[in-house]
Amino acid sequence: MTPAVPSALFADRLRRAGEVAALHDTDLLLVTPGTDLQYLIGAEGSSHERLTCLVLPAAGHRAPPALVVPRLEAPGLAGLPLEELGVEIVTWTDGDDPYLLVSDLAGGPTRIGLVDSMPAAHVIGLRDAFPEVAQELAGPVIRELRMRKDPAEVAELRAAGAAIDRVHARMGEFLKPGRTEKQVGADIAAAILEEGHRQAAFVIVGSGPNGASPHHDVSDRVIESGDVVVIDIGGPLPSGYNSDCTRTYAVGGEPAASVREAYAVLQDAQERAVAAVRPSVTAEQVDAAARQPIRAAGLGERFVHRTGHGIGLDVHEEPYIVGGNELQLEPGMAFSVEPGIYLDGEWGARIEDIVVVTDNGCERLNTRPRDLVVL
Amino acid sequence: MTPAVPSALFADRLRRAGEVAALHDTDLLLVTPGTDLQYLIGAEGSSHERLTCLVLPAAGHRAPPALVVPRLEAPGLAGLPLEELGVEIVTWTDGDDPYLLVSDLAGGPTRIGLVDSMPAAHVIGLRDAFPEVAQELAGPVIRELRMRKDPAEVAELRAAGAAIDRVHARMGEFLKPGRTEKQVGADIAAAILEEGHRQAAFVIVGSGPNGASPHHDVSDRVIESGDVVVIDIGGPLPSGYNSDCTRTYAVGGEPAASVREAYAVLQDAQERAVAAVRPSVTAEQVDAAARQPIRAAGLGERFVHRTGHGIGLDVHEEPYIVGGNELQLEPGMAFSVEPGIYLDGEWGARIEDIVVVTDNGCERLNTRPRDLVVL
């Protein structure tokens, strides 16, 4: 619970969240544990059945900021700069109704914004305690802050990218014919920790036909010589900022010419999409830049997902790089560029880098070779 | 994703959930990833921004059961017996509106039940797609099933209890004066995995004054000779069923007489509460049985939390052993009995066993000595 972030930065985030909420005609944001609460005040952990909730007024709304927390969890907040931030701690005890407590603190709002991750148990509990109040998502407010990373956040994402690149650099130690995906995955998970992450949050080892399932995990399949293998790995640093990087490997020798050919299309698509990233370009234009060469090669139907997702305290967050998203990119936005090609029952390939938008283009946070590396 | 549970058991759970939903006047249950979905169909994993949702009709409602899933995640469902269960897979692609898809499949419901863990993003998305439908929590329906464990579930909880008891049996290897709570905690976490858990979900090492914070984690505090230390640990087995057991240790020699005296009260309270557990007794009567001797010793204000919580696929689930809960216990209910005494700034103690209600009493799933063990 000891924040690495200076409390002045939290104060600024709370102030800006209140201002954006007011622009969205939301009187109050209600923030339960999760990455939004970590972003706003540094509190870690996830939601439990006992309500913990930051009551954050919009600029101009009459309620003071408060953190409602079960009494037995209050000592765990000792490391947070709540007094400096002017956030009052209000405790409750098993048997009390914490939703009525929030309602008492809320200052008579008309519209409240709930964080996107709030469990339904709390959403419905709050609805019943304030039946006359319109519930909306706080996501559109908080994303305005979170999707524009400040320099300290970019530095954390850069460190995360370097850490996961070191794991990919060691792939020859792990990925060998005759081993199962699970064995390879366990070694990769250990390397993710050794290279500085606090958790190996996901380890996809998609060998041969399993590579054609974009969200495959690991299995008991034995990797064979000649397999194409998708390795998509990442997790949080101690600060909570995440890595996420995919490379595709050919194990035990040269792949078939048809694989080489399709892979060259994919690599070109990923390059073009990264080259398209700069301020004022829209998210959907980056998606289109990745999609166009794949479609031109007759493989458009094989690229079954969006081109990318924002990254920060969550592995998936705004901005999403997807058709229909007309958001204009701005410096400080960080997201993945990860086109893929999936041939059901045969093989798959994906290339993924995290990029951060700069004043005139972007910085890639992953720098390992992007060709089909033969191990 | 390969369920250890026979598909006939899932079929029975789906049928009973539909029957209980009908009794609650709920037309449809909507179940996003989490432990409820694992319980009902064996699907593991947690909710993401892309909607995955089981549409489960109440008995007599016209909609057929369906699992709405992002197309790119559909291959991950291959291990589930969906065809045997009569659950149709309905996929969607980035850019589609999955909430409208659920609405199309829902058969015109009046009241829908949402699982308690469903993220607000999906709650509000579904509300906007079915604005005329009343949203309620599915928890009161699904808990009717989940809080009564079947013999296979009890066997898993028994195995989990034995596994965490083996970790407590090794505490002398880890818990020594001169080591920090973090060092001790890291060793305990490794032992939790070695003894058969798939994850060390929580490791509380509350030494000296930190023991007075019931939900303390670990810190850099160096454990000193004479400290009283609360060790509360657990996590899931590969099946997903959890352990949770607390013992309190005196490190480096005999504790003060005042500690011995208060601890004796606590041990008596825990014994009395366990002795009170049998069918037809209410949850609040068990809570009262723990509270009475602590109150009689003038320490009532030091026991700041409920006496226990149900356990299964979640570490905390129904039934909660708390004042005001008039639920009558039944065979197969499994929960913790864990009174504690907390002296702010000085020390704390807690004794926790998981028990399962039997036909005429209960079975304790943790059997390590409950006295203040001097290490």
Side-chain angles (χ1 to χ4, degrees):
Chain A
M1 297 287 264
T2 311
V5 178
S7 58
L9 204 47
F10 289 129
D12 185 56
R13 290 174 184 175
L14 289 172
R15 181 185 56 72
R16 286 189 293 136
E19 287 172 3
V20 177
L23 292 176
H24 284 241
D25 287 325
T26 296
D27 298 312
L28 205 65
L29 301 177
L30 297 180
V31 186
T32 43
T35 53
D36 287 331
L37 193 64
Q38 186 179 356
Y39 180 82
L40 290 169
I41 62 170
E44 293 182 5
S46 54
S47 255
H48 297 291
E49 75 282 6
R50 288 188 181 100
L51 183 74
T52 290
C53 185
L54 175 67
V55 177
L56 177 59
H61 184 67
R62 73 180 69 83
L67 185 65
V68 170
V69 67
R71 180 176 158 196
L72 83 170
E73 292 176 16
L77 306 175
L80 300 180
L82 296 173
E83 202 171 320
E84 268 177 270
L85 296 173
V87 175
E88 188 193 1
I89 298 181
V90 180
T91 62
W92 63 277
T93 305
D94 290 346
D96 296 346
D97 184 331
Y99 307 111
L100 288 177
L101 191 56
V102 171
S103 160
D104 287 345
L105 291 165
T110 303
R111 271 165 61 104
I112 59 177
L114 313 178
V115 286
D116 292 19
S117 64
M118 182 184 287
H122 299 322
V123 176
I124 302 293
L126 290 164
R127 184 198 65 186
D128 293 348
F130 305 58
E132 74 294 350
V133 172
Q135 293 186 333
E136 303 297 338
L137 291 175
V141 171
I142 297 178
R143 85 171 56 137
E144 292 297 321
L145 282 67
R146 284 186 56 182
M147 74 182 171
R148 297 175 177 89
K149 268 69 184 176
D150 64 40
E153 294 183 282
V154 172
E156 282 296 324
L157 288 171
R158 195 179 285 125
I164 205 68
D165 280 2
R166 291 193 296 273
V167 178
H168 272 294
R170 293 172 55 188
M171 202 52 64
E173 298 173 35
F174 316 131
L175 184 54
K176 293 173 185 168
R179 307 193 74 202
T180 66
E181 291 176 358
K182 272 188 189 160
Q183 291 169 330
V184 173
D187 287 351
I188 292 173
I192 289 173
L193 298 179
E194 286 162 20
E195 299 297 346
H197 296 81
R198 77 169 181 214
Q199 191 199 345
F202 54 95
V203 177
I204 295 175
V205 180
S207 69
N210 291 339
S213 171
H215 277 194
H216 180 71
D217 184 4
V218 293
S219 78
D220 291 319
R221 184 178 182 280
V222 176
I223 293 162
E224 298 168 17
S225 201
D227 277 352
V228 176
V229 186
V230 177
I231 307 279
D232 185 348
I233 54 180
L237 296 188
S239 64
Y241 285 85
N242 285 282
S243 66
D244 185 2
C245 181
T246 309
R247 290 292 183 265
T248 301
Y249 297 88
V251 178
E254 274 298 312
S258 64
V259 171
R260 278 275 178 213
E261 204 171 306
Y263 191 89
V265 171
L266 178 66
Q267 194 173 347
D268 179 49
Q270 206 260 358
E271 283 297 329
R272 285 175 191 235
V274 171
V277 175
R278 60 181 177 277
S280 302
V281 165
T282 64
E284 68 176 358
Q285 286 174 320
V286 176
D287 182 74
R291 221 163 281 281
Q292 191 279 329
I294 295 176
R295 196 174 284 146
L299 294 165
E301 292 296 306
R302 309 300 194 158
F303 177 16
V304 297
H305 55 71
R306 63 193 175 202
T307 293
H309 55 81
I311 189 166
L313 290 170
D314 283 309
V315 179
H316 289 185
E317 58 180 55
E318 299 278 348
Y320 292 102
I321 309 302
V322 62
N325 187 358
E326 298 177 7
L327 176 82
Q328 291 195 333
L329 301 180
E330 295 175 34
M333 290 184 178
F335 50 85
S336 69
V337 177
E338 52 172 315
I341 291 176
Y342 308 96
L343 284 93
D344 280 353
E346 299 178 43
W347 61 281
R350 184 164 62 256
I351 305 169
E352 176 184 26
D353 293 318
I354 303 302
V355 301
V356 181
V357 184
T358 58
D359 287 341
N360 49 18
C362 73
E363 175 186 349
R364 283 172 125 135
L365 302 188
N366 302 104
T367 58
R368 295 286 309 160
R370 290 173 196 89
D371 13 52
L372 187 57
V373 174
V374 179
L375 290 179
Chain B
M1 297 285 266
T2 311
V5 180
S7 58
L9 205 47
F10 290 129
D12 185 57
R13 290 174 183 174
L14 289 173
R15 181 186 55 72
R16 286 189 293 135
E19 287 171 4
V20 178
L23 292 176
H24 284 242
D25 287 326
T26 295
D27 299 311
L28 205 65
L29 301 177
L30 297 180
V31 187
T32 44
T35 53
D36 287 330
L37 193 64
Q38 185 178 356
Y39 180 81
L40 291 169
I41 62 170
E44 294 183 3
S46 55
S47 254
H48 297 291
E49 76 283 6
R50 288 188 181 100
L51 183 73
T52 290
C53 185
L54 175 67
V55 177
L56 177 59
H61 184 67
R62 73 180 69 84
L67 185 65
V68 170
V69 66
R71 180 175 159 198
L72 82 170
E73 291 175 17
L77 306 174
L80 301 179
L82 296 174
E83 202 171 320
E84 269 176 272
L85 296 172
V87 175
E88 187 192 0
I89 298 181
V90 180
T91 62
W92 63 278
T93 305
D94 290 347
D96 297 345
D97 183 331
Y99 308 112
L100 289 177
L101 191 56
V102 172
S103 159
D104 287 345
L105 292 165
T110 303
R111 271 165 60 103
I112 59 178
L114 313 179
V115 286
D116 293 19
S117 64
M118 183 184 287
H122 298 322
V123 176
I124 302 293
L126 289 164
R127 183 198 66 186
D128 292 348
F130 305 59
E132 74 294 353
V133 172
Q135 293 185 334
E136 302 298 338
L137 291 176
V141 171
I142 298 178
R143 85 170 57 135
E144 292 298 321
L145 283 66
R146 285 186 55 182
M147 74 182 170
R148 296 174 179 89
K149 268 68 182 177
D150 63 40
E153 292 183 283
V154 172
E156 283 295 324
L157 287 171
R158 195 180 285 124
I164 205 70
D165 280 2
R166 292 194 295 273
V167 179
H168 273 294
R170 293 172 57 188
M171 203 53 64
E173 299 172 35
F174 317 132
L175 184 54
K176 294 173 183 167
R179 306 193 74 202
T180 67
E181 291 177 357
K182 273 188 188 161
Q183 289 169 332
V184 173
D187 287 351
I188 292 172
I192 289 174
L193 298 178
E194 286 162 21
E195 298 297 346
H197 296 82
R198 77 169 182 216
Q199 192 199 342
F202 54 94
V203 177
I204 295 176
V205 180
S207 69
N210 291 339
S213 171
H215 277 194
H216 180 71
D217 183 6
V218 292
S219 78
D220 290 318
R221 184 178 183 279
V222 177
I223 294 161
E224 296 168 19
S225 203
D227 278 352
V228 175
V229 185
V230 177
I231 306 280
D232 184 348
I233 54 180
L237 296 189
S239 64
Y241 285 84
N242 285 284
S243 66
D244 186 3
C245 181
T246 308
R247 290 292 183 266
T248 301
Y249 298 88
V251 178
E254 275 298 311
S258 63
V259 171
R260 279 273 177 214
E261 203 171 307
Y263 191 89
V265 171
L266 178 67
Q267 194 172 349
D268 179 49
Q270 206 261 356
E271 282 298 330
R272 287 175 189 235
V274 171
V277 175
R278 60 181 177 278
S280 302
V281 164
T282 63
E284 68 176 358
Q285 287 174 320
V286 177
D287 183 74
R291 220 163 282 282
Q292 192 278 330
I294 296 176
R295 197 174 285 147
L299 293 166
E301 291 295 305
R302 309 300 194 157
F303 176 16
V304 295
H305 55 72
R306 62 194 175 202
T307 292
H309 55 80
I311 188 166
L313 290 170
D314 282 310
V315 179
H316 289 186
E317 58 181 54
E318 298 280 346
Y320 292 102
I321 309 303
V322 61
N325 187 359
E326 297 176 9
L327 176 83
Q328 290 194 336
L329 299 180
E330 295 175 34
M333 290 184 177
F335 49 85
S336 68
V337 177
E338 51 172 315
I341 291 177
Y342 307 97
L343 284 92
D344 280 354
E346 298 179 43
W347 61 281
R350 184 164 62 256
I351 304 170
E352 176 184 26
D353 292 320
I354 304 302
V355 302
V356 181
V357 183
T358 58
D359 287 342
N360 48 17
C362 73
E363 175 186 351
R364 282 172 125 135
L365 303 187
N366 300 104
T367 58
R368 296 286 308 160
R370 292 174 195 89
D371 9 56
L372 186 59
V373 176
V374 179
L375 290 180

